[in-house]
């Protein structure tokens, strides 16, 4: 079990939550979240993606899909030394050569590079470049429930030779059970820890295991823990920040600022019609270890024919 | 890990769910649930409590609080040999001398006796009497997160001398984390298994661990697994039957009948305004290891002052 002092909580509300509302958060929301995270003792706050504006229509998404340094500075003003700032970049979707300035000119501390296993070599090129600019860098391996141990071992053996500070287990499909998370965390830890690198965990709540999987990963050595306020995130959403901070509430982390933010911002946001969180369709994509896209469509269309959905998802 | 053949799933929707709607289920609902459970391969269906009509006003509750043999027969007609039937009795709240007939005259197979640790001696009197009538009997130890290991060991050492077929870990407060469930399951298993008795698990979802805790208990030897359709149960509710059956779907258990029932009965029931399931107030009672009553009241009153609730619950 890691001590609380050795772990780092990252709030990914603006980023994974942005996948639910096309990143249209108000500045008031972002500022209040920044303040709440600092008061709660959160270690990193993620200010969305830095997607390539040449690939995505800026008129169809809010600014946190393309997060510039100026966008961040517009929210935070002067940087508070108590909390670090991250952005996420996707392999193939970020113009990392042109759109990432040297660290000394940016409020960003950590750049997280999200990749699928098959993109690992391109991912490492990105990691090396971004690291050379002076940033902390992590590698976030998505859809991990579809990868074999051998594939992951090969990725990790490449990643330990880079400057990443950590590598995340990303259960994009919300498919993993606690025992699988423990297995993967140990596998990651055995390779990463000797190289001085951390294991990270990012969960989805399709089978209502997001919080349990996060604390099980922590117990097996994961030190980078992702969560979002009220679990806001794609599809079934993520590990609830209030659950995780509550679990760790004490000297380092403080629950009250998160409770206050949930009350004032997250519950009203959900009541306004922005939709995320567990439902039966998400259960089925998690259960069958598949991308949530069919469940997202079913939820949007209010399609409740779960038997047909299960049949479709189970078709080999 | 237990094989799927060695486990017994009990659907407690009418019973724990009844705590949410004062047991006012329609006969149509009960019949459809009975049919769905049989088709799903569920091993036991619980037809509510057999509470003492001298202690509770029959005009304030539906019949499944007082479940008579005739009530059950009115739903099932002729008994289907594929699924057993249980009722729950509470120590001190059931007139078990007068209200339980010999097994040969009843459709009930299993009588579950719910107790707190401090009531264990009265519980054992009930167990012995009910067992002498020919029923299967279990002991369900409630509010287990408030008991010490030593208290539980004393209870278990008494219970192994009775005819109980199993003893349940009942996490009434939804307070346990997976590691605690594993610890308790092993503790129970070590005492019960040599006596030929099973470990049971009944979870609540206050911290969204109900499903994870159930499958973790199973992995550590629990064979009696409780769940309810769509998690319907007091406060934050229980382990979702569709999650558990989905996890075990195959030769013995079948998910489709549960999915169909959820679609046709549970989602409409919830949409009609019957309220259960995770929210922030329930998180706080689970986190502080307390009875959900304050969260039930807060939910009813739409009180969202979570900081005040947490302060009240944390007060020593």
């Amino acid at each position: 079990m890691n001590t609380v002092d050795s772990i780092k909580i990252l709030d990914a509300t603006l980023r994974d939550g942005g996948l639910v509302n096309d990143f249209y958060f108000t500045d008031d929301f972002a500022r209040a979240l920044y303040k709440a995270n600092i008061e709660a003792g959160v270690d990193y706050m993620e200010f969305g993606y830095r997607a390539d504006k040449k690939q995505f229509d800026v008129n169809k998404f809010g600014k946190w899909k393309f997060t510039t340094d100026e966008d961040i500075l517009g929210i935070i003003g002067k940087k508070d030394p108590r909390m670090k700032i991250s952005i996420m970049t996707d392999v193939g979707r970020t113009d990392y050569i042109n759109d990432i300035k040297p660290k000394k000119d940016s409020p960003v501390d950590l750049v997280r590079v999200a990749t699928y296993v098959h993109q690992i070599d391109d991912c490492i090129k990105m990691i090396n470049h971004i690291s050379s600019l002076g940033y902390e860098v992590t590698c976030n391996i998505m859809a991990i429930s579809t990868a074999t141990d051998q594939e992951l071992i090969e990725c990790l053996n490449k990643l330990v030779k880079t400057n990443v500070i950590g590598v995340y287990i990303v259960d994009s499909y919300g498919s993993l059970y606690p025992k699988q998370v423990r297995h993967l965390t140990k596998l990651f830890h055995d390779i990463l820890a000797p190289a001085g690198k951390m294991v990270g965990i990012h969960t989805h709540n399709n089978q209502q295991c997001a919080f349990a999987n996060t604390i099980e990963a922590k117990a097996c050595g994961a030190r980078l823990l992702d969560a979002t306020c009220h679990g806001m995130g794609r599809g079934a959403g993520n590990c609830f920040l209030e659950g995780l901070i509550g679990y760790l509430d004490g000297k380092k982390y403080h629950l009250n600022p998160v409770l206050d933010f949930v009350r004032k911002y997250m519950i009203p946001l959900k009541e306004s019609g922005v939709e995320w969180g567990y439902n039966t369709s998400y259960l089925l994509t998690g259960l069958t270890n598949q991308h949530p896209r069919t469940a997202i469509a079913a939820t949007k269309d209010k399609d409740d024919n779960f038997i047909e959905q299960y049949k479709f998802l189970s078709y080999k």
Side-chain angles (χ1 to χ4, degrees), chain A:
Chain A
M1 171 79 76
N2 292 323
T3 63
V4 71
D5 290 330
S6 71
I7 64 168
K8 307 283 183 193
I9 294 180
L10 184 146
D11 167 55
T13 307
L14 281 190
R15 205 267 311 157
D16 212 320
L19 295 168
V20 173
N21 69 347
D22 292 334
F23 304 90
Y24 287 114
F25 294 99
T26 64
D27 283 0
D28 174 53
F29 181 101
R31 273 192 200 101
L33 178 59
Y34 180 69
K35 183 167 174 285
N37 278 330
I38 287 175
E39 289 174 359
V42 165
D43 301 281
Y44 290 86
M45 172 169 160
E46 188 151 270
F47 278 76
Y49 287 95
R50 186 161 291 171
D52 184 355
K53 290 180 180 175
K54 299 184 290 299
Q55 292 186 48
F56 299 93
D57 185 344
V58 294
N59 296 310
K60 289 187 176 163
F61 299 96
K63 62 185 167 189
W64 305 112
K65 185 173 176 76
F66 308 98
T67 311
T68 64
D69 290 345
E70 292 69 33
D71 292 332
I72 297 170
L73 290 167
I75 297 301
I76 69 172
K78 192 167 170 292
K79 203 170 165 191
D80 191 308
R82 288 175 290 175
M83 183 171 70
K84 291 185 175 180
I85 288 171
S86 74
I87 54 168
M88 182 162 271
T89 62
D90 274 331
V91 173
R93 294 181 178 175
T94 297
D95 180 359
Y96 63 94
I97 300 292
N98 294 306
D99 287 347
I100 302 182
K101 290 177 287 196
K103 162 76 189 97
K104 67 179 174 52
D105 303 322
S106 168
V108 173
D109 300 282
L110 165 66
V111 177
R112 305 206 297 173
V113 183
T115 185
Y116 294 105
V117 163
H118 69 88
Q119 300 170 313
I120 193 67
D121 293 331
D122 286 340
C123 176
I124 285 172
K125 279 184 204 160
M126 275 180 76
I127 288 166
N128 289 337
H129 178 80
I130 297 166
S131 171
S132 75
L133 297 173
Y135 294 94
E136 294 178 341
V137 185
T138 63
C139 175
N140 294 42
I141 305 181
M142 298 185 290
I144 206 153
S145 55
T146 64
T148 65
D149 281 4
Q150 196 50 48
E151 287 171 329
L152 294 172
I153 290 167
E154 285 174 23
C155 285
L156 293 168
N157 283 333
K158 291 178 180 178
L159 288 164
V160 290
K161 295 175 193 149
T162 71
N163 281 331
V164 289
I165 63 167
V167 184
Y168 282 83
I169 297 162
V170 182
D171 181 18
S172 307
Y173 298 171
S175 180
L176 298 178
Y177 300 108
K179 66 181 171 186
Q180 294 171 291
V181 168
R182 293 194 294 271
H183 167 75
L184 286 174
T185 305
K186 285 172 193 161
L187 186 150
F188 272 51
H189 191 266
D190 285 350
I191 299 175
L192 294 173
K197 299 178 190 311
M198 296 181 276
V199 183
I201 181 80
H202 177 92
T203 59
H204 279 267
N205 210 27
N206 296 60
Q207 298 186 89
Q208 302 195 59
C209 288
F211 170 68
N213 282 345
T214 302
I215 65 174
E216 286 298 300
K218 172 184 176 290
C220 293
R223 292 173 54 196
L224 297 166
L225 312 181
D226 271 18
T228 62
C229 289
H230 221 48
M232 186 184 187
R234 178 150 64 183
N238 305 114
C239 174
F240 282 54
L241 184 66
E242 54 270 40
L244 184 61
I245 298 267
Y247 179 70
L248 299 167
D249 195 14
K251 206 171 152 192
K252 184 175 178 193
Y253 297 110
H254 310 288
L255 182 55
N256 282 341
V258 185
L259 291 176
D260 196 49
F261 186 80
V262 166
R263 176 193 192 185
K264 291 180 180 158
Y265 289 88
M266 298 312 296
I267 294 176
L269 186 65
K270 203 160 191 186
E271 286 176 352
S272 78
V274 178
E275 200 166 11
W276 73 88
Y278 173 89
N279 68 28
T280 313
S281 297
Y282 292 123
L283 169 68
L284 296 176
T285 58
L287 190 58
T288 54
N289 192 16
Q290 295 197 42
H291 193 284
R293 63 174 71 87
T294 54
I296 291 169
T299 301
K300 194 177 164 196
D301 297 344
K302 302 194 187 302
D303 169 7
D304 65 356
N305 196 333
F306 307 127
I307 291 178
E308 275 303 309
Q309 292 171 27
Y310 189 39
K311 187 177 166 191
F312 175 80
L313 292 163
S314 302
Y315 187 78
K316 307 289 180 202

